[in-house]
Every structure is written in structure tokens, then in C-alpha cells.
Amino acid sequence: FDILTYQLPDVPDFTVAESLEPVSLDFGDQMMLTGFDYGVPLSQLDSAPSEVEGRALPSGEDAWIVLQWQSATDLSTDYKVALYLLDERERVVGQVDKILLSNHMRLTSDWEPNQVEIDYYSLPSLPATAPGDYHIELAIYDVATMQRLAILGIESNQLGHSYTLGELEIVRPVEPPMVEPGQRITDGMMSPEVILLGYDLPRTEVSPGTAVEVALYWEALRDVQNDYLVLTQIRDHEGQVWGEEESRPGYGGYPTTQWEKDEIIRDWHDVPINAETRNGDYRLHVGIKQRGAVIREVDLATIRISGRARTFEIPQMEHQLGWAIGEEIILLGYDVDDAVRAGETLKVTLYWQCMREMGQSYTVFTHLLGKDNAILGQSDSIPAQGEAPTTSWIEGEVITDQYDIVIDVQAPAGEYLMEVGMYDAKTMERVPVYNAEGEAQGDRILLETVQVLN
């Protein structure tokens, strides 16, 4: 084998973080995050433009992160840490997953209770990421099951499955990036100042009421003087528009007037699809507008739209209710098993009606509650096992939504409450609830009690 040797300075300094910001985060009663810090390597700052300082990262470069962990118990599981660099729409522009090891290279299953370790991470950013503000998100998951640990707050209230460490600014790269779009185009000259190099299209089949995601790769042929708008449309074969988004690049935050010669930008767009769009093939068009007029457009790809069958008839149900979730949704009623044995599955069917179309996708929660509101069975999901997001609902539609809740095998015999409701998965904030008379009832609906048998 070969041995490489290096001459170090007389007084080497390997310091990454001079001090850690204290924090106390409980991940599933297994791990505690007790401190962290993050920043940009000085080597990147030295070669970057003058505006790069502090926590400003040149696009395409890596940030450093230091995390201090403490085991909360005698661990029997090996855990992995996931760090994400996210934009304002929670889209991933950088990610690192790393097995959590002690300084002696031991997996967490070999850690002692209350063992403290410091771990180091290098979080990349994708080349051509548009300058702007981004945030760093942290999660821990079981290597074997891929399930994330819940973050617990005071009195063991669940705060979610990820934590925002802080903000990071992306600035222009030191050198133009080398990027390769998923699909290149040959006729992308949109103006004398801007060329469309290609695009990424993660999905070419979507449902009505959802959105087509597309990343456009732009190159500035010179310092751009004009303020161009990007117009993305979904059209049928007759030219009728069924989905449209018009905005400046970078979700409106990085207008073309800030682009410099040879700069390349990865620019994401979400084109909302009309909830009443019929199944079939459509075309994705992209154009740029100047002073309200389209000056050039290109036809990019075929988009297939296919969705579930809709019903507007109210079915038979065991329990009628008529309570409102926010201003757009009514829980007409529900069916629920009267009794179930510990360790077995409780079936719950909810019947929703859409009163008004909405732009927000909500997650449904169904919890079986024991003493002190301890959750002994739970199933959270986008409605209809993810097939009917609330953004796809249309006025008057009735959605039948079934949940299978596995009851804790240790649940003692007795009567238990069922609570249901909806929340925003991004913020974990629940949607307010109103009874049939329009009176506020908090953020949950209590159903009939369920008998748990031995």
C-alpha cells in the first residue's frame, strides 16, 4: 500500500466550531440533541465574491455542521442522521445521510446511557441553486425500519419528525456550475439575453387538483437588463389551459434583472392542475413574458392526468355528525368498530364533504386515546391512503376515507376515546373545528368510545 505524507503548519488549527449553541431536543426518548453549530468553510469564503460572509454559501458548495448528541437510554437500535437544505417550499436542494457513530466509531446500539458524542457533517448544495434564503432541517431515523424518531416537547407532546437548525443564504457561485438537465432542448433561445438549456420533470403523470413540478435550467448570455416573467401552462390538444403559473424565477425572489453573464440557474415551478381536469394527455408549455406579452415559448413534454372517480352522493353511515374542519370541509359522519382486542386493528371510516375548493393539502389524524391523552393507536395520512389530497377536492364532492389503527398490545381493557381531525404537515398546526351550530370546538373531533378487550 502507498503512504502519503503532508507537511503541516507549525501551529495547526483544526477548529470547526469554537462554541456550540445549546439546545435540548428529545428524539423519541432515545437521543438528545444538546448543541449544534454550522457555517461555511473559510476556504470557500476566501475565494468567493466580497459579499460572501458569515453564513452565506456559494451555490454548489458545502456547508459544515457540528451536532452534539447524548443517548437518553440504553439504546438497542442503530440510528442515522439526515440533514436537508430546503427552499421556501420545502424542496430539497442539498442532503446528507450519515450513520451516527461515536468518536470510537461505535454504532448507537453500542453506546452507554447518557453517552455524549460530537459528530461532524458536510451538507452540499446543488449546483445552479438560485441565490436566496434557505433553511437546514434535521431528522433521525432507524437504519433498519427507515422510520423517523418523533421530536418530543414538554409533557411528551409530539412536535414533529424534523427540526429546523437555522437559516443559510445561498449566493452566486465562484465559477459557473457544470450541470446536466434531465432533458436538454435545442430550441431554447428565449431572448437575446436568456436561453433555456433544458428541464427536469420528476413526474409526468399527475392527478387533478395536484401540481406538475418542473425545474427549468436558464443561462444568462449577458448581464440581463429586462425583467422577464416565466409562464408555465398545461394545455389540451385544443389549446385550452388547465393549469398555469406565472412568476419571476426563484419563486419570485431572483428576478432576471439580477442575473449576470454566464450564470446558470435551476428554477423550480409548480403548475397547479384544475381539480375538474378530465383524464387524458396534455402538453407542458414554457414561455417568457416581457411587459405583459409572451415573446417566446417552447413545448416541452406530455403530461398525463388521471384521477380517481368522484361521487357527490352521501352514503349510509352509522354516525351522522355535520361538524366543520376549517371553512372548507365537513365531516358528515363516520363508522367505527365498537370493540377491538389489544394488538388487533380498529377500522374507522370517515365521510368528508368539500364545501369549497382549497389550495392547502391537509393530513388526517385518527388517534385512540388512553389516560392522560396517551396515544395507544394511531393512523395519520393524506385522505384515501394518499390518493385524495384535499387540494384535489371539488365543491360538493363526498370522500370516503378509511383508516386501520393497530392497537397497542399493552393497552389495558376498558373504554377509550377516538379523536380525529386535520393538520398541516409542514407546520404540524391543526385545523380548527366547529360544531353543527358553527361554534368553535378546538382542534379535534371526539367520536364514540371504543371498547378494548383483553
Side-chain angles (χ1 to χ4, degrees):
F1 54 88
D2 295 330
I3 298 177
L4 302 180
T5 61
Y6 299 88
Q7 182 66 44
L8 296 176
D10 293 337
V11 186
D13 182 6
F14 297 108
T15 301
V16 176
E18 294 184 359
S19 62
L20 299 180
E21 181 174 334
V23 68
S24 182
L25 279 181
D26 182 350
F27 286 81
D29 291 328
Q30 300 293 301
M31 299 292 301
M32 295 289 297
L33 179 68
T34 59
F36 71 91
D37 197 7
Y38 64 94
V40 179
L42 292 177
S43 60
Q44 294 179 14
L45 295 179
D46 291 343
S47 59
S50 58
E51 75 265 18
V52 181
E53 58 184 14
R55 287 177 172 171
L57 179 69
S59 176
E61 303 291 348
D62 296 357
W64 59 261
I65 299 175
V66 180
L67 303 176
Q68 180 172 274
W69 298 102
Q70 181 175 351
S71 55
T73 184
D74 188 4
L75 302 175
S76 60
T77 303
D78 296 324
Y79 291 109
K80 211 168 189 178
V81 174
L83 288 161
Y84 306 93
L85 188 59
L86 304 176
D87 66 18
E88 63 183 68
R89 295 188 183 177
E90 305 298 312
R91 183 168 276 117
V92 176
V93 299
Q95 178 178 348
V96 60
D97 289 62
K98 181 183 174 186
I99 196 76
L100 188 51
L101 296 172
S102 71
N103 290 332
H104 292 88
M105 306 302 288
R106 291 184 176 178
L107 299 169
T108 53
S109 57
D110 290 331
W111 290 19
E112 300 292 333
N114 300 315
Q115 183 170 331
V116 177
E117 299 288 349
I118 294 179
D119 210 4
Y120 303 87
Y121 307 81
S122 183
L123 178 61
S125 62
L126 287 175
T129 297
D133 294 328
Y134 296 79
H135 59 280
I136 300 172
E137 204 81 2
L138 164 69
I140 305 178
Y141 60 92
D142 185 329
V143 173
T145 66
M146 301 298 290
Q147 288 192 334
R148 289 185 177 186
L149 292 180
I151 302 174
L152 305 177
I154 299 174
E155 298 179 356
S156 297
N157 292 327
Q158 186 170 322
L159 302 180
H161 291 84
S162 64
Y163 175 73
T164 302
L165 288 179
E167 304 296 321
L168 197 62
E169 181 187 5
I170 298 289
V171 297
R172 291 189 183 94
V174 178
E175 299 289 341
M178 299 293 293
V179 294
E180 185 58 42
Q183 298 290 332
R184 278 199 170 267
I185 60 176
T186 58
D187 58 345
M189 184 69 71
M190 307 299 283
S191 82
E193 299 177 299
V194 174
I195 185 172
L196 180 61
L197 300 175
Y199 61 94
D200 292 338
L201 195 59
R203 294 187 303 157
T204 57
E205 185 169 342
V206 296
S207 301
T210 60
V212 173
E213 303 174 80
V214 59
L216 305 175
Y217 291 81
W218 303 100
E219 182 177 5
L221 301 177
R222 63 191 188 201
D223 291 354
V224 180
Q225 303 300 314
N226 289 293
D227 184 15
Y228 297 112
L229 294 179
V230 179
L231 177 66
T232 49
Q233 292 183 330
I234 303 295
R235 303 180 196 161
D236 61 21
H237 67 281
E238 295 178 348
Q240 183 174 350
V241 176
W242 292 92
E244 179 178 88
E245 188 209 47
E246 180 181 310
S247 71
R248 290 179 173 86
Y251 306 143
Y254 195 50
T256 56
T257 50
Q258 297 181 18
W259 295 8
E260 296 181 353
K261 185 177 184 298
D262 296 328
E263 189 172 358
I264 297 176
I265 299 97
R266 186 195 315 257
D267 177 31
W268 280 98
H269 293 266
D270 301 297
V271 190
I273 305 299
N274 189 311
E276 299 184 42
T277 305
R278 296 177 180 176
N279 292 352
D281 288 342
Y282 297 76
R283 296 296 296 179
L284 171 64
H285 296 258
V286 172
I288 61 171
K289 297 180 69 174
Q290 183 181 6
R291 300 185 185 92
V294 176
I295 60 174
R296 175 80 204 286
E297 72 169 20
V298 291
D299 184 347
L300 292 189
T302 296
I303 303 296
R304 168 153 297 212
I305 298 177
S306 60
R308 55 195 167 79
R310 301 181 186 273
T311 181
F312 297 86
E313 296 184 4
I314 298 177
Q316 294 292 326
M317 60 194 75
E318 296 176 1
H319 306 279
Q320 295 187 358
L321 198 60
W323 283 32
I325 305 287
E327 298 179 354
E328 302 96 351
I329 302 167
I330 297 290
L331 179 57
L332 297 172
Y334 61 93
D335 301 333
V336 62
D337 294 338
D338 296 328
V340 65
R341 295 188 180 277
E344 295 184 351
T345 299
L346 173 70
K347 293 188 179 298
V348 181
T349 303
L350 307 175
Y351 299 94
W352 309 103
Q353 187 171 38
C354 177
M355 305 306 295
R356 186 188 317 168
E357 293 180 21
M358 65 203 91
Q360 179 64 53
S361 177
Y362 293 121
T363 300
V364 177
F365 65 86
T366 57
H367 298 159
L368 185 70
L369 302 178
K371 292 182 179 180
D372 301 322
N373 285 329
I375 297 177
L376 299 178
Q378 174 179 1
S379 179
D380 291 19
S381 174
I382 298 294
Q385 292 80 48
E387 296 297 322
T390 54
T391 52
S392 70
W393 297 5
I394 61 177
E395 184 174 338
E397 181 182 6
V398 176
I399 297 90
T400 300
D401 191 17
Q402 183 173 312
Y403 293 84
D404 295 333
I405 304 174
V406 178
I407 308 303
D408 190 330
V409 70
Q410 301 296 328
E415 286 191 346
Y416 292 80
L417 289 174
M418 275 291 305
E419 67 169 4
V420 302
M422 291 186 177
Y423 62 89
D424 182 343
K426 294 180 181 178
T427 64
M428 301 304 293
E429 183 177 353
R430 291 186 177 183
V431 185
V433 168
Y434 304 90
N435 64 17
E437 289 73 39
E439 301 166 334
Q441 300 294 317
D443 57 13
R444 64 177 183 172
I445 299 174
L446 294 178
L447 308 186
E448 292 289 327
T449 57
V450 174
Q451 187 76 30
V452 174
L453 309 174
N454 286 333

